[in-house]
Amino acid sequence: MASIRKVTHRSGRISWQARWRDPAGKQRSKNFRRRIDAERFLITVEARKLAGTYVDPQAGRLRLGDFAQQTTAGWVNRRDSTKARDESYLRSLVLPTFAEMPIGKIGLFDVQEWVNDLDADGYAPATIRKAYQLLGRILNDAVKGGLIAASPFRDIDLPKIEHTEKRFLSPDEITLLADTITPRYRALVITAAYTGCRIGELTALDTDRYQPDKRIFRIERSLAEVRGHLRFGQPKTAAARRAVTLPTWLPHIIDQHLADYPPGPDGLLFTAPEGGPIRRNAFRSRVWLPAVADSVGQPMRFHDLRHSHVALLIAEGAHPAVIASRRGHTSVKTVLDVYGHLYEGLDRNAADTLNPPWEVSDVDAMWTRHNRHRDQGRGLT
């Protein structure tokens, strides 16, 4: 049973001690300067016990740095590159501010001030948001574990991400870039532009996953470089595990590439000069950037070949669902959100196909058939 008692300290100071039993039956107590505060606290405790949301006030004393180490170790289904990124953000952006703070003491204004400081220090909005999401997940785990009653992550003002215009290469520009780059990587550039695959997916492809007779790439793994180490892992998402159909002419280019640069023992289609896997960072600095400078010019990322692939498909009237499937997305929403402006010309073409209401169209026949079937079902004919 909850109760309040008056406590006189050696210094003569008087406080009011709230006493209660937690759901496990253990006696708990907490001192307040005013009796009314103790009464309000006990009302809250009893309400949370009834609602099943009771949290031990002592649990929130655990430092965030210690808890973060415990909870992140249990996070599963993360790629090696994601783990490395999270560890880097945690070490450099989160812990310097929150490592020594008790979890229960972290409030909304602490989080907002931290976000503001990162923004003032010049960190990119996308980086701040990633760090914010990481801290938010840690504190959500603290809520799930009963260490705190609620997360302070609400109504936080985050810096806006300004979406820059994507670079879309025309077929002529793709050819120019492919002909400019080191010959070993010509087929890689063309393949990226005409399949929409990510660079990690292409550099992980081997002869077992290439079916030229069916014109298919089976995307079942990805290659990442984490802290200087190359690692094969799962694709970015479940939807990214897919079969990508190649244009009719592309297998000829790939087969010629394999004849000129035979796969090594691991059977990779696209390899580094020494015959092993391509290291993305070295490829970018030594091969990609010089070729871009000598051909299509900056800004131009390898990932923009993936954007160019979408632009080519949209220009040919491909359905958004087909584009989403080729890109390895679960929904057409991403395609429409990111590339919707490229459909403007197609929208005009679609509008031009509509006949005025006073002219006979195929819709009249469809409507007549629909009404006839409906009437037959009702026994009216």
Side-chain angles (χ1 to χ4, degrees):
M1 186 70 179
S3 62
I4 299 175
R5 71 173 184 172
K6 185 177 181 180
V7 178
T8 303
H9 300 272
R10 292 181 180 179
S11 62
R13 180 175 61 87
I14 294 176
S15 64
W16 299 91
Q17 186 178 78
R19 298 166 60 85
W20 75 97
R21 292 189 179 277
D22 64 19
K26 186 175 181 179
Q27 184 73 49
R28 301 286 187 179
S29 65
K30 185 175 182 179
N31 292 344
F32 297 87
R33 294 180 62 181
R34 301 186 305 169
R35 181 184 181 91
I36 186 64
D37 294 332
E39 291 174 349
R40 290 171 177 169
F41 175 79
L42 287 180
I43 292 174
T44 301
V45 167
E46 293 303 318
R48 287 178 176 172
K49 286 167 61 177
L50 291 173
T53 59
Y54 175 85
V55 174
D56 182 1
Q58 305 298 321
R61 294 182 178 181
L62 180 64
R63 297 185 308 169
L64 183 126
D66 295 332
F67 179 70
Q69 184 177 8
Q70 298 172 15
T71 192
T72 56
W75 291 353
V76 296
N77 298 325
R78 289 187 301 164
R79 297 186 302 165
D80 291 335
S81 57
T82 303
K83 291 180 182 178
R85 183 202 66 198
D86 289 348
E87 291 171 2
S88 175
Y89 282 15
L90 185 64
R91 181 179 62 256
S92 61
L93 301 179
V94 177
L95 294 183
T97 299
F98 295 107
E100 300 301 321
M101 290 185 65
I103 294 178
K105 294 294 184 181
I106 300 176
L108 181 149
F109 294 109
D110 298 311
V111 176
Q112 185 65 71
E113 183 179 4
W114 168 65
V115 168
N116 294 344
D117 288 343
L118 292 179
D119 187 38
D121 288 341
Y123 286 98
T127 299
I128 296 174
R129 286 176 175 264
K130 287 293 185 182
Y132 173 84
Q133 293 167 1
L134 178 62
L135 177 59
R137 182 175 180 183
I138 292 172
L139 291 176
N140 282 337
D141 284 354
V143 174
K144 294 176 183 178
L147 301 181
I148 55 177
S151 171
F153 275 59
R154 59 187 183 278
D155 299 325
I156 300 295
D157 292 327
L158 296 173
K160 293 183 179 180
I161 298 177
E162 300 294 338
H163 293 284
T164 57
E165 183 68 20
K166 307 268 188 310
R167 180 79 182 272
F168 305 105
L169 296 188
S170 67
D172 288 342
E173 289 175 317
I174 294 170
T175 301
L176 175 60
L177 176 57
D179 289 343
T180 303
I181 204 166
T182 304
R184 171 181 285 273
Y185 303 108
R186 180 179 184 274
L188 177 63
V189 169
I190 295 174
T191 301
Y194 286 92
T195 64
C197 294
R198 302 174 177 90
I199 186 172
E201 296 170 342
L202 293 175
T203 54
L205 276 172
D206 57 19
T207 52
D208 290 339
R209 294 172 174 83
Y210 169 46
Q211 298 175 279
D213 54 329
K214 297 181 179 180
R215 294 192 290 121
I216 283 177
F217 280 160
R218 288 188 290 109
I219 305 300
E220 297 173 338
R221 63 178 186 172
S222 183
L223 179 64
E225 184 174 354
V226 182
R227 295 174 182 169
H229 298 284
L230 293 174
R231 298 177 182 175
F232 290 97
Q234 296 297 313
K236 190 173 183 179
T237 64
R241 293 180 63 91
R242 64 199 188 281
V244 178
T245 302
L246 312 181
T248 56
W249 47 266
L250 187 53
H252 172 72
I253 291 179
I254 296 174
D255 291 344
Q256 183 60 54
H257 165 78
L258 294 177
D260 296 336
Y261 308 100
D266 48 13
L268 294 176
L269 299 187
F270 305 106
T271 58
E274 63 275 11
I278 295 175
R279 290 183 174 273
R280 191 179 308 181
N281 293 335
F283 169 78
R284 180 179 182 275
S285 61
R286 299 175 187 175
V287 180
W288 177 257
L289 292 180
V292 167
D294 292 340
S295 59
V296 296
Q298 292 289 4
M300 180 67 200
R301 306 166 302 164
F302 192 93
H303 197 75
D304 288 326
L305 293 174
R306 182 167 159 86
H307 298 315
S308 300
H309 178 66
V310 176
L312 294 173
L313 293 176
I314 291 176
E316 295 299 327
H319 193 282
V322 175
I323 297 175
S325 177
R326 287 183 67 83
R327 285 176 57 87
H329 293 311
T330 56
S331 169
V332 301
K333 184 178 185 301
T334 301
V335 175
L336 296 177
D337 287 348
V338 178
Y339 307 101
H341 63 288
L342 298 180
Y343 281 92
E344 292 177 357
L346 299 181
D347 177 67
R348 177 179 293 274
N349 293 338
D352 291 345
T353 65
L354 297 176
N355 294 324
W358 52 84
E359 291 186 7
V360 178
S361 71
D362 291 339
V363 177
D364 295 315
M366 293 171 57
W367 187 260
T368 302
R369 287 196 301 270
H370 172 76
N371 289 341
R372 184 169 63 250
H373 292 324
R374 181 194 61 189
D375 293 342
Q376 289 175 350
R378 294 178 178 177
L380 300 178
T381 60

